[in-house]
Amino acid sequence: MVGVDFGTLSGRAVVVRVSDGAELGSAVHEYTHRVIEQTLPGSDVKLGPDWALQSPQDWIDVLKIAVPAAIAAAGVEPEQVIGIGTDFTACTVLPTTADGTPLCFETPELPHAWPKLWKHHAAQPHADRINELAARRGESWLPRYGGKISSEWEFAKGLQLLEEAPDVYARTERWIEAADWIIWQLTGVESRNICTVGYKGIFQDGAYPSEEFLAELNPGFAGFVGKLATGSVGDRVGDDVNGVTVAPLGGLAGRLTGQAATWTGLPEGIAVAVGNVDAHVTNAAADAVRPGQMVAIMGTSTCHVMPSDQHAEVPGMCGVVRDGIVPGLWGYEAGQSAVGDIFAWFVDNFGHDGHEQLTALAEKQAVGQHGLVALDWFGGNRSVLVDHNLSGVIIGQTLATKPEDVYRALIESTAYGARMIVETFEKSGVPVEEFIVAGGLLKNPFLMQVYADVLRRPLSVIGSDQGPALGSAIHAAVAAGAYPGIEEAAAAMGKRTEAAYVPDEANADAYDRLYAEYRRLHDFFADGQMLHTLRAIRNEAHA
């Protein structure tokens, strides 16, 4: 099997043995355009604050470069590959024509014609309006998202598109997640996977938000769902729910087209799995598809995803979707908008010694020695406040504060944020039985130990450096018919080490005191009055 993970800065492919999940070869392609945040490629067209775009050409290049390189590294013949699966960051969404052509290929000079990356937060005012109206109308779907829709998601970004670029909105025949768009390119078949439809597209109980609701937001927005639904499209994949074709995870999306076979070097006609999200597909890679197994995929941001047999309304969660991680269970998602991004920001701007040296200095300290506590809101707050206009805070600095003090405080702040999420779930009646870590930050043992101490619970760790790509390959094995379901495939191909890090009781006691101060700071700034004002002043100065 081949699994392909489309990340924030790069795409990676891994070749996996079907029988046991052994990773035989992998390759990475760094995106040429990376994250487009300042100006559009090849132009001087400037983007506003909190914009983040990507290029679809970078995604196609992953198929052309990383997949053949992974096959070569694995030393297998392409004919031995029986399927391919993919995953994507989300909500990364783009406007296209009816045949899937990205509008940025036609009008590259228009910012709104480009895909909006998951961390595009410029739609926060639009999300605020959606939330206010939904709460006032008592929309039944709002509690399924912890009481707030994120600015990162399809509807907020779509409303921004309508109101800031109505001509582009009018040309948009499809508003589609990149997770589904890449499947369209591989198979020639348009589909919508249940994961992004549910978590990012506000699809609950068989329906999107009503036309009446959308019209009250903006009369021109009334028909927005028509850009999402695929009920009128031939070659349907999945189950028809109220005219919307919803594709199940692990399902067969279609077969590899001749063009995609040319790109990838894989045989035409092999199985292509239904699209998925990088975080949610990782549960299979960690063999964490049973109730109560929370997987934290820790990289530039952190996503917390967990299957459960319990259905509850958890304040500030990103969403709960039936069948959203594995069929038959409720799938929960929460997250932190910035984690690794925070550490990178500090090192790039202030920590000239680099991550390794700062970590070595920080881990020599006793808990609390730096006298600091920080809020992990440098990229806004995804859970549990769902407010991307919040910003980071560091309290306790003096003239004696050193870079390693701040670096450690920032690491600790992200652990406190994770504890806030876990406690919120458990207080809402959704128990977290096992906390499993995946993602690039696993490479820092000190950070992992801090998390174990702050959370006061053992940390299990995934047994792969390529969790999402491995998870995609596992889903492809199901789509190709090698296993009857995701649970069986995950048991055979997924891997994790249980209790790889255990809490130090003395450190955990000390962190309880600091976490109490974090909670006080969290609650003090949660209303956003001061932080929103500062952001508004900043934006005015940039205008």
Side-chain angles (χ1 to χ4, degrees), residues 196-243:
T196 53
V197 162
Y199 291 104
K200 315 303 178 185
I202 321 182
F203 187 80
Q204 293 284 351
D205 298 324
Y208 286 111
S210 68
E211 184 174 317
E212 180 186 12
F213 172 81
L214 299 177
E216 192 167 344
L217 284 170
N218 184 314
F221 205 47
F224 178 65
V225 167
K227 302 177 188 294
L228 306 178
T230 59
S232 60
V233 177
D235 297 323
R236 293 184 180 183
V237 178
D239 300 320
D240 192 310
V241 182
N242 292 343

Side-chain angles (χ1 to χ4, degrees), residues 125 255 349:
R255 300 285 177 178
N349 290 280

